Amino acid sequence: MAPRANWKGFLRLSLVTCPVALYPATSESEKISFNQLNRGTGHRIKYLKVDADTGDEVQNEDIVKGYEVEKGQYIEVSKEELEEIALESTRTIEIDEFVDRSDIDPRYLIRPYYIRPDGKVGHDAFAVIRETIRQMDKVAIGRVVLTNREHIIALEPMDKGLVGTLLRYPYEVRNEQEYFDEIQDVKVTKDMLDLATHIVNQKAGRFDPEKFEDHYESALIDLINQKRAGKPITPKSKPAAGNVVDLMEALRRSVGKEAAPANAAKPAKKPKKAFAGQKEMLLPIAGKKPAKEAAAKKPATRPQRKSA
């Protein structure tokens, strides 16, 4: 199924404008999720919107927005009044300035979106804006309205499209001094730094997201598979905590621990995982159609599953 755009409008750099669509670049849908059930009946729990004082259920058409000015006192704001203050960025991403990527504090980053031309027109203008940002090696800063709120958005070229990352406003970022003021000033000796640097060098690598596995997600899959197969669930033994109290001794032991795997023979490379989604590994539900022929040809290293 083709992806559904979260937002459609126009991207504008001065007088150069093109229609664009904005899509989420990340997804949480492949993760295991749970429903709340009634322990006695096994039925799913349903939530109702009720009046806090009377307890009566309230229909959606009777619900309005309100801002609490004092305890129990609200100012009601209608949908029409909110539409009256709609900003130009509701339909247009206006590029205001260009900055260096290193200027953006990572605390301000929220979430990424993919941006591409919307429809068959505007590809030329889109390419001009994209290649201008690429040639300047800068990040374009603009504004966009999502879920009725205006956000700052940072635009960077990626392949033939753009990646737009929403940014926080200054009032949304907490002052670090509130948390760091009580950290003690400690004198770190050169010997400690040398040992720690040696450990870092032994662990040096290149960031590759495909190397990482969500161990908790895998454990959830194993748990659900075992329960569906009627197997008993036995708690796993937890590793004993180390008892090293001397910092220098801990650093020396760490150096030895990291050196051992480096000297060992490198194992044969494992084939790349097919990241079609973690949920593939769940057992198929009885009575449902068999998996596709292509899936059946995969080596049965782990039980297959179909999305519920």
Side-chain angles (χ1 to χ4, degrees):
M1 182 180 294
R4 182 177 179 182
N6 273 33
W7 181 92
K8 289 188 176 184
F10 297 89
L11 176 62
R12 184 163 64 201
L13 173 60
S14 189
L15 299 179
V16 180
T17 306
C18 62
V20 295
L22 185 147
Y23 302 84
T26 59
S27 172
E28 299 283 322
S29 63
E30 290 299 326
K31 286 191 173 184
I32 295 290
S33 59
F34 294 99
N35 293 311
Q36 292 185 320
L37 307 177
N38 181 336
R39 187 193 300 273
T41 64
H43 299 158
R44 186 173 174 178
I45 298 298
K46 179 181 178 181
Y47 288 93
L48 301 175
K49 295 179 180 179
V50 300
D51 188 299
D53 291 337
T54 67
D56 297 332
E57 184 178 356
V58 182
Q59 301 301 316
N60 285 335
E61 58 268 21
D62 295 325
I63 297 176
V64 297
K65 294 181 182 293
Y67 176 78
E68 188 174 34
V69 289
E70 292 182 19
K71 186 66 176 178
Q73 295 186 5
Y74 301 88
I75 294 178
E76 292 185 8
V77 181
S78 68
K79 181 180 178 181
E80 292 73 23
E81 288 170 329
L82 290 173
E83 289 175 350
E84 283 294 322
I85 62 169
L87 304 167
E88 184 181 2
S89 50
T90 303
R91 297 293 301 157
T92 303
I93 300 175
E94 176 80 41
I95 296 177
D96 296 323
E97 61 179 344
F98 293 86
V99 302
D100 291 333
R101 184 67 179 80
S102 59
D103 289 345
I104 302 177
D105 188 320
R107 293 176 297 173
Y108 286 80
L109 305 176
I110 303 178
R111 72 181 67 90
Y113 289 87
Y114 293 138
I115 300 174
R116 72 181 190 192
D118 184 31
K120 297 181 180 180
V121 299
H123 286 251
D124 291 345
F126 182 87
V128 168
I129 296 173
R130 179 196 65 214
E131 294 309 310
T132 300
I133 301 173
R134 195 193 307 274
Q135 181 179 337
M136 294 179 63
D137 194 24
K138 297 280 188 178
V139 177
I141 303 296
R143 290 161 287 124
V144 62
V145 171
L146 293 172
T147 60
N148 299 321
R149 298 299 297 264
E150 185 178 58
H151 299 269
I152 309 168
I153 188 167
L155 305 172
E156 299 176 82
M158 175 176 280
D159 195 21
K160 295 189 294 183
L162 292 170
V163 173
T165 304
L166 297 189
L167 303 178
R168 293 182 174 90
Y169 287 98
Y171 67 83
E172 297 178 282
V173 178
R174 293 175 176 174
N175 188 334
E176 70 278 5
Q177 294 306 321
E178 297 176 17
Y179 307 91
F180 297 163
D181 274 350
E182 295 181 7
I183 298 177
Q184 298 178 9
D185 291 325
V186 176
K187 176 67 176 178
V188 181
T189 67
K190 182 179 183 303
D191 289 343
M192 288 183 176
L193 281 176
D194 288 344
L195 286 170
T197 301
H198 188 68
I199 296 169
V200 171
N201 288 334
Q202 289 176 322
K203 286 180 170 287
R206 179 179 175 275
F207 179 72
D208 179 5
E210 292 191 1
K211 293 190 300 186
F212 299 100
E213 177 186 354
D214 189 336
H215 296 289
Y216 183 71
E217 182 79 0
S218 299
L220 282 177
I221 290 169
D222 291 338
L223 173 65
I224 294 172
N225 279 341
Q226 290 181 54
K227 292 182 74 72
R228 293 177 72 175
K231 296 180 180 179
I233 306 300
T234 54
K236 295 180 180 179
S237 58
K238 296 183 179 179
N243 193 28
V244 180
V245 293
D246 182 76
L247 182 55
M248 280 296 293
E249 179 62 20
L251 287 167
R252 291 192 185 99
R253 289 193 189 182
S254 297
V255 169
K257 178 183 176 183
E258 297 304 326
N263 294 331
K266 292 184 179 179
K269 288 187 177 179
K270 294 181 180 179
K272 274 191 176 181
K273 294 180 182 178
F275 287 97
Q278 286 272 14
K279 292 186 179 179
E280 290 179 354
M281 291 183 285
L282 277 181
L283 288 168
I285 300 172
K288 288 200 172 184
K289 293 181 180 180
K292 292 182 180 179
E293 184 180 349
K297 292 180 181 178
K298 292 181 181 178
T301 54
R302 299 192 65 179
Q304 297 279 326
R305 73 171 177 180
K306 293 179 73 175
S307 299

